[in-house]
Amino acid sequence: MTGNHDSDAADRGHEARMRMAAGDETFFKYYWPRLVRYLKSRATDTGLAEDVASEAMMAFLDKWDYLLTHPRPDSWLFKVATRKLRKLEVQARDQCCLDEDLASSVGDLQAAAAGDMWIEDHLDLIAGMRSLPSRQCEVIGLHYFGGYTLAETADILDIQVGTAKKHLGRGLKSLRQRQGLPAALKTIRRISA
Amino acid sequence: MTPGDDKQQVVTDLAVTAADRALRAAAATIGQMSDTELQCKLSQLKKARKARTPREIYRQQDELGSLELDQAAYKLASQAHADGNLSEAARWYRVGAINDFADAPLKLAMVLDSLAARYLAGAESPAATREDLGLVTEAANWYLAAFLVGDLEALDPLDSLIARLDGQARAAHVIATADDSGPGRCAPGGLQKVTELPPAEAIAHCRSCRPCKAELIKLNRLLLAVLYDEASKETTDASVDQPDDNYGPRRSLPDCGSALHPEPSRPGQYQLARSPQKCGKKG
């Protein structure tokens, strides 16, 4: 970890604490859309993602005083939400009450798009992300949607930076393949053939 | 690197760049949400928070604490693994793996794999072989779970484990067959007659009589199959929550070859991994 990264992380932690100092409404307005949309792009079930986001935010409000002095309160929020979602998904799968077949996934995505304009605008992308293995999806979601560096992402997911990098590379590659190749790539393929 | 590889690399790089661009475009607008919607959600959240009973608050705090426990268990497991205490490492990695914590599923699979290799190195008896079979099965399940959440490193060991398990299953079959037609016959006339002897005498006889041992193994398998069937039916009928321990009914995995379904030697030992992909998972 470089000194630069440390200072950047400290700055972002400071920003998050300043938002907290401005009041719970300011904090909520900034982080809620990012959190709930990150979870929706990662989860199989939109309802579950919303529940997890609400519970994580509630837990954050419960721990407000403690988190005011936390180095990265925003990372804490995403870490708790990610772990909660994983745990609930494991439990739901154990009880076979998580519909993950193609028809259910498409239906759930359509419902999510109907309730959120941002998802509707990026439907292909979210569909592609949901089809990725969960670790790849989490790394991509935290890195791009959460705005975290790879080191911060690795810290949130309790993995090594190298592993996070590997997941990111694989995820991006599969994401594009799953979304369909753009015209330029198709041309290159044709020339190669 | 051949020209073909170069072209493939260009295609891959462009694909990654295109995905990167699409993600950046989505990230640029992720914070946009109508003020009304945000206010509504915040007031709902505050109302729900206020309406909680003390019991619900304790439950939520407890859940939050349990998330920390996974991390603590993972640290303990890593320490035990570094110290070479594989059984202890498996125990603690399992705690994290059940909740899909970090790379605990992969680590658990690796530890179980090493444990199986250790058993295999000293395996002379059919019992040791069965023990190894169980460890290999569980390791394979956790490798599969790790692979399905994105740890592609789990694929090679999974393949080799499946191959090894097939070999082990064949070896176990040969041993069982040899036991059936082994040298000598049971002097009292089989297990049925032996059960009529006084218990101490029957136990002593079974310890030294190979045909009786073979019959006991078969009966044990039959008994376990019946018990598992009943347990599964009860669970399905009652639709109750399963306790989070190692004694739940076995679950079926996606098609990974017959090697993943060997006969167990005791209930719960070979319970399939709580794989996130059990009920038909995304790719």
Side-chain angles (χ1 to χ4, degrees):
Chain A
M1 202 181 277
T2 63
N4 264 350
H5 170 261
D6 281 347
S7 62
D8 287 353
D11 285 350
R12 279 192 289 274
H14 179 68
E15 275 174 34
R17 283 194 301 276
M18 288 303 283
R19 285 194 182 97
M20 285 178 79
D24 56 2
E25 197 174 322
T26 309
F27 184 87
F28 181 85
K29 282 183 177 175
Y30 185 81
Y31 285 105
W32 174 259
R34 286 164 176 80
L35 179 69
V36 77
R37 285 166 176 166
Y38 153 69
L39 291 172
K40 279 179 186 174
S41 62
R42 148 74 179 82
T44 324
D45 186 314
T46 306
L48 194 65
E50 279 175 358
D51 287 351
V52 168
S54 296
E55 279 184 30
M57 198 52 94
M58 217 183 272
F60 192 93
L61 294 176
D62 287 344
K63 295 244 174 193
W64 188 266
D65 292 341
Y66 160 72
L67 290 165
L68 267 172
T69 54
H70 196 278
R72 292 304 301 268
D74 52 326
S75 298
W76 186 93
L77 179 66
F78 278 87
K79 183 182 268 199
V80 166
T82 305
R83 286 198 201 163
K84 265 182 183 286
L85 181 63
R86 281 188 196 171
K87 201 168 185 168
L88 284 177
E89 280 191 343
V90 168
Q91 285 171 2
R93 282 189 189 105
D94 275 356
Q95 291 163 20
C96 283
C97 57
L98 193 63
D99 295 325
E100 292 179 300
D101 56 289
L102 189 63
S104 304
S105 302
V106 171
D108 185 75
L109 197 62
Q110 282 168 349
D116 190 337
M117 190 68 96
W118 181 81
I119 292 184
E120 194 182 356
D121 290 346
H122 304 97
L123 203 57
D124 276 0
L125 184 70
I126 305 301
M129 280 187 72
R130 282 188 172 196
S131 68
L132 292 177
S134 57
R135 295 291 187 276
Q136 293 174 11
C137 189
E138 282 165 4
V139 170
I140 289 177
L142 287 169
H143 184 57
Y144 284 94
F145 300 160
Y148 293 104
T149 62
L150 274 179
E152 289 165 344
T153 301
D155 182 54
I156 290 171
L157 298 176
D158 292 290
I159 53 175
Q160 293 184 348
V161 182
T163 312
K165 204 172 176 181
K166 215 158 42 187
H167 284 315
L168 182 71
R170 285 171 184 162
L172 288 176
K173 201 175 154 191
S174 334
L175 192 59
R176 198 59 220 170
Q177 283 164 352
R178 282 161 206 233
Q179 276 191 283
L181 293 166
L185 293 182
K186 284 178 183 166
T187 312
I188 290 175
R189 282 251 163 104
R190 208 165 43 239
I191 294 165
S192 308
Chain B
M1 191 181 268
T2 65
D5 290 340
D6 277 342
K7 281 173 193 163
Q8 189 58 46
Q9 187 59 43
V10 170
V11 170
T12 306
D13 289 348
L14 278 171
V16 168
T17 312
D20 180 81
R21 246 197 324 266
L23 283 161
R24 281 182 197 282
T29 54
I30 197 171
Q32 293 173 6
M33 195 179 267
S34 76
D35 216 37
T36 326
E37 199 180 335
L38 281 168
Q39 284 291 355
C40 176
K41 189 67 214 172
L42 181 60
S43 64
Q44 273 177 6
L45 197 73
K46 282 185 173 172
K47 206 187 259 180
R49 190 165 169 253
K50 226 175 205 175
R52 289 180 302 173
T53 61
R55 194 178 290 176
E56 281 170 340
I57 294 172
Y58 293 142
R59 185 186 58 79
Q60 284 176 356
Q61 283 173 353
D62 183 56
E63 275 175 14
L64 203 60
S66 76
L67 297 178
E68 303 289 322
L69 280 178
D70 291 338
Q71 190 167 15
Y74 186 85
K75 276 185 186 164
L76 277 174
S78 302
Q79 187 58 51
H81 197 180
D83 294 345
N85 188 347
L86 295 183
S87 306
E88 197 67 5
R91 180 187 168 199
W92 290 113
Y93 274 135
R94 194 176 276 113
V95 173
I98 282 169
N99 288 324
D100 196 17
F101 179 81
D103 59 351
L106 179 63
K107 291 280 174 65
L108 174 60
M110 287 159 70
V111 168
L112 290 170
D113 196 355
S114 306
L115 272 173
R118 190 182 281 183
Y119 268 104
L120 192 63
E124 293 296 331
S125 65
T129 309
R130 280 193 300 280
E131 195 73 27
D132 177 57
L133 273 174
L135 287 166
V136 171
T137 309
E138 200 187 348
N141 288 333
W142 285 114
Y143 272 133
L144 182 65
F147 171 68
L148 290 173
V149 296
D151 283 318
L152 303 188
E153 293 76 15
L155 193 57
D156 286 344
L158 176 63
D159 285 345
S160 68
L161 267 183
I162 289 172
R164 189 162 122 209
L165 193 55
D166 280 340
Q168 286 282 298
R170 270 195 291 275
H173 177 71
V174 169
I175 290 167
T177 314
D179 280 348
D180 288 347
S181 58
R185 290 172 52 189
C186 174
L191 194 62
Q192 182 67 42
K193 298 273 183 197
V194 172
T195 53
E196 289 162 14
L197 297 172
E201 206 177 313
I203 291 168
H205 171 83
C206 286
R207 278 188 183 139
S208 59
C209 176
R210 291 184 71 187
C212 283
K213 269 186 195 171
E215 275 193 71
L216 278 170
I217 290 167
K218 279 182 186 171
L219 282 173
N220 185 38
R221 285 175 183 168
L222 184 65
L223 177 66
L224 286 170
V226 171
L227 287 176
Y228 276 131
D229 273 357
E230 281 177 3
S232 303
K233 273 179 199 163
E234 278 169 19
T235 313
T236 316
D237 293 345
S239 299
V240 290
D241 293 352
Q242 282 302 313
D244 207 10
D245 58 24
N246 281 339
Y247 294 90
R250 289 200 304 170
R251 310 280 299 275
S252 63
L253 272 174
D255 186 21
C256 306
S258 59
L260 290 173
H261 304 280
E263 293 296 331
S265 70
R266 65 180 164 86
Q269 186 185 1
Y270 311 127
Q271 182 194 14
L272 295 181
R274 284 172 159 79
S275 155
Q277 311 348 85
K278 276 183 299 199
C279 304
K281 163 85 180 175
K282 62 188 177 185

